[in-house]
């Protein structure tokens, strides 16, 4: 710790030196200090993996120590954009930390998904000492101030992580109201944080195991589950698959919701056949009906992206001309020089994107 603090002090002093700027040229001091330690950077937020736990068959929990460049005021329930290099290519994904607010370290529990490139890579290869990028913080799935008195949380699968951050924060604050948590997992072995939840003071926890038909509640969320957990709560927070979010909102229309499961897009019945021009790269391709992000990757480009479902805006690029349709909202962008999310946008004829 002392060595890291000393290095940060030296970095800041050197960063303000005109002579150092001249000597380090266009690359900046970060390109040299990172040769000593990859997290010794002033401008690029990074984190070292200091602990790895695989406590369930389908998840891995990483404890991250961010460097001094990560200065975001992270609220419980928000997500961070994690950057991982896989086979020489940089991939970004959004994950909600499970740690309480103001924690010095970040805790990410990442559920592996069939076909999930980053989640499966981290489950199989994450190790202590690995350095990951942190590209930003976002999301409005957060607790209000003042805190509600009677709060019901509902989560499915890996949707537990932002809820854990909120629960840990409330417990740390000494919240004296009522708190209930209804968590759905496929079976007991895949229920993350089960032991910690059982010992968490002041929180009523109910489990539902959807594949085994057992647990404190049986079957899918409905009025009986709501009554068992907390009838007439002041506030409801739900995070999980779209079907769970919708079931909760059917009974609790004012529920705050978050879902990091990619929605099912309805692709065009027929590809436009128009020409996609990636202006900065000098590459052109013929539209095959997929989102522009996927077509860019198929053309050999590596645009930054995060959630790949139109939430995080990491993939936003300037469309200089042409027409695109947003697959999640149905909105059509026709004007020149508009920013579009290329992970959920498909061409409608010829289109040019700055990429």
């Amino acid at each position: 710790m002392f060595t890291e603090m000393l290095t940060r002090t030296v970095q800041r002093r050197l960063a303000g030196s005109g002579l150092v700027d001249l000597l380090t040229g266009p690359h900046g001091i970060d390109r040299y200090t990172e040769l000593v330690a990859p997290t010794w950077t002033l401008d690029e937020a990074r984190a070292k993996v200091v602990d790895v736990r695989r406590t369930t068959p389908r998840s891995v929990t990483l404890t991250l120590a961010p460097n001094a460049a990560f200065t975001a005021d992270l609220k419980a329930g928000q997500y961070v954009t994690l950057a991982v290099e896989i086979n020489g290519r940089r991939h970004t994904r959004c994950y909600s930390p499970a740690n309480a607010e103001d924690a010095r370290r970040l805790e990410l529990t990442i559920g592996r998904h069939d076909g999930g490139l980053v989640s499966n890579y981290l489950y199989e290869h994450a190790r202590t000492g690995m350095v990951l990028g942190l590209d930003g913080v976002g999301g409005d799935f957060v607790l209000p101030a003042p805190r509600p008195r009677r709060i019901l949380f509902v989560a499915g699968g890996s949707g537990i992580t932002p809820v854990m951050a909120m629960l840990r924060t409330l417990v740390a604050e000494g919240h004296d109201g009522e708190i209930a948590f209804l968590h759905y997992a496929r079976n007991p072995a895949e229920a993350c944080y089960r032991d910690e939840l059982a010992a968490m003071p002041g929180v009523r926890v109910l489990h539902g195991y959807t594949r085994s038909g057992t647990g404190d509640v049986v079957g899918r969320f409905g009025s009986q589950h709501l009554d068992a957990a907390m009838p007439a709560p002041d506030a409801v927070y739900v995070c999980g698959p779209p079907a769970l979010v919708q079931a909760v909102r059917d009974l609790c229309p004012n529920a705050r919701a978050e879902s990091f499961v990619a929605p099912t897009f309805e692709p065009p019945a027929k590809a436009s056949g128009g020409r996609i021009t990636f202006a900065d790269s000098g590459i052109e391709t013929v539209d095959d009906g997929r989102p522009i992000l996927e077509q860019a990757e198929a053309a050999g480009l590596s645009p930054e992206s995060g959630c790949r479902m139109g939430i995080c805006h990491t993939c936003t690029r300037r469309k200089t001309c042409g027409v695109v349709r947003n697959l999640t909202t149905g909105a059509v962008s026709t004007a020149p020089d508009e920013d579009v999310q290329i992970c959920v946008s498909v061409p409608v004829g010829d289109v040019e994107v700055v990429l």
Side-chain angles (χ1 to χ4, degrees):
M1 173 62 77
F2 174 77
T3 302
E4 184 178 353
M5 291 176 62
L6 179 61
T7 303
R8 291 176 183 174
T9 301
V10 173
Q11 276 183 303
R12 292 190 180 98
R13 289 180 178 176
L14 291 177
S17 167
L19 176 60
V20 170
D21 288 343
L22 177 63
L23 293 176
T24 57
H27 304 293
I29 191 174
D30 281 355
R31 296 290 79 79
Y32 295 90
T33 57
E34 69 179 358
L35 297 177
V36 181
T39 55
W40 288 0
T41 55
L42 284 177
D43 298 323
E44 294 185 20
R46 298 178 183 177
K48 179 186 289 186
V49 178
V50 296
D51 186 56
V52 178
R53 291 176 289 132
R54 294 175 175 85
T55 55
T56 80
R58 296 183 62 84
S59 68
V60 58
T61 297
L62 311 180
T63 302
L64 308 181
N67 65 2
F70 184 72
T71 58
D73 182 20
L74 180 68
K75 301 297 184 184
Q78 289 188 304
Y79 59 81
V80 296
T81 303
L82 196 72
V84 186
E85 186 173 304
I86 303 175
N87 297 326
R89 293 185 63 180
R90 188 171 185 268
H91 301 268
T92 57
R93 297 291 187 272
C94 297
Y95 296 110
S96 295
N99 51 274
E101 289 182 10
D102 300 324
R104 291 179 54 250
R105 293 180 172 178
L106 301 179
E107 180 178 303
L108 303 181
T109 292
I110 299 167
R112 64 188 307 186
H113 303 286
D114 295 338
L117 174 64
V118 174
S119 64
N120 281 292
Y121 177 84
L122 289 174
Y123 182 86
E124 295 167 3
H125 301 288
R127 66 188 187 283
T128 57
M130 175 184 283
V131 174
L132 305 171
L134 294 173
D135 280 352
V137 169
D140 57 4
F141 186 65
V142 296
L143 291 165
R147 309 304 196 201
R149 290 286 303 165
R150 303 179 69 252
I151 311 174
L152 171 63
F153 296 99
V154 183
S158 58
I160 192 175
T161 53
V163 171
M164 282 300 300
M166 293 180 180
L167 290 173
R168 286 169 164 173
T169 297
L170 290 169
V171 170
E173 292 175 349
H175 181 72
D176 59 358
E178 295 181 54
I179 305 173
F181 178 33
L182 185 54
H183 183 225
Y184 296 91
R186 301 201 300 185
N187 52 62
E190 296 182 17
C192 301
Y193 298 105
R194 187 172 57 165
D195 292 341
E196 180 181 347
L197 287 168
M200 188 170 282
V203 180
R204 173 176 167 76
V205 180
L206 299 177
H207 292 283
Y209 303 121
T210 57
R211 295 291 178 88
S212 63
T214 61
D216 303 302
V217 291
V218 179
R220 307 289 176 172
F221 179 87
S223 58
Q224 291 183 337
H225 292 194
L226 177 61
D227 291 341
M230 179 183 285
D234 295 334
V236 179
Y237 292 82
V238 53
C239 184
L244 175 61
V245 170
Q246 187 58 54
V248 173
R249 280 186 157 170
D250 286 343
L251 292 175
C252 308
N254 294 324
R256 295 289 300 275
E258 189 79 274
S259 178
F260 284 111
V261 177
T264 302
F265 298 136
E266 183 178 345
K270 183 179 180 181
S272 72
R275 184 163 296 277
I276 307 174
T277 301
F278 301 109
D280 286 356
S281 307
I283 293 177
E284 294 186 350
T285 187
V286 176
D287 173 39
D288 62 12
R290 292 180 296 168
I292 295 173
L293 172 61
E294 294 182 25
Q295 298 195 59
E297 292 174 334
L301 299 175
S302 301
E304 289 190 22
S305 64
C307 64
R308 304 178 82 91
M309 63 180 85
I311 294 176
C312 72
H313 296 271
T314 304
C315 71
T316 298
R317 294 293 181 273
R318 177 58 55 94
K319 173 181 66 69
T320 55
C321 63
V323 180
V324 300
R325 180 169 67 86
N326 186 301
L327 291 173
T328 60
T329 66
V332 176
S333 168
T334 60
D337 295 319
E338 283 190 332
D339 289 338
V340 298
Q341 295 168 273
I342 62 174
C343 73
V344 292
S345 294
V346 295
V348 182
D350 294 342
V351 64
E352 181 175 286
V353 178
V354 178
L355 180 62

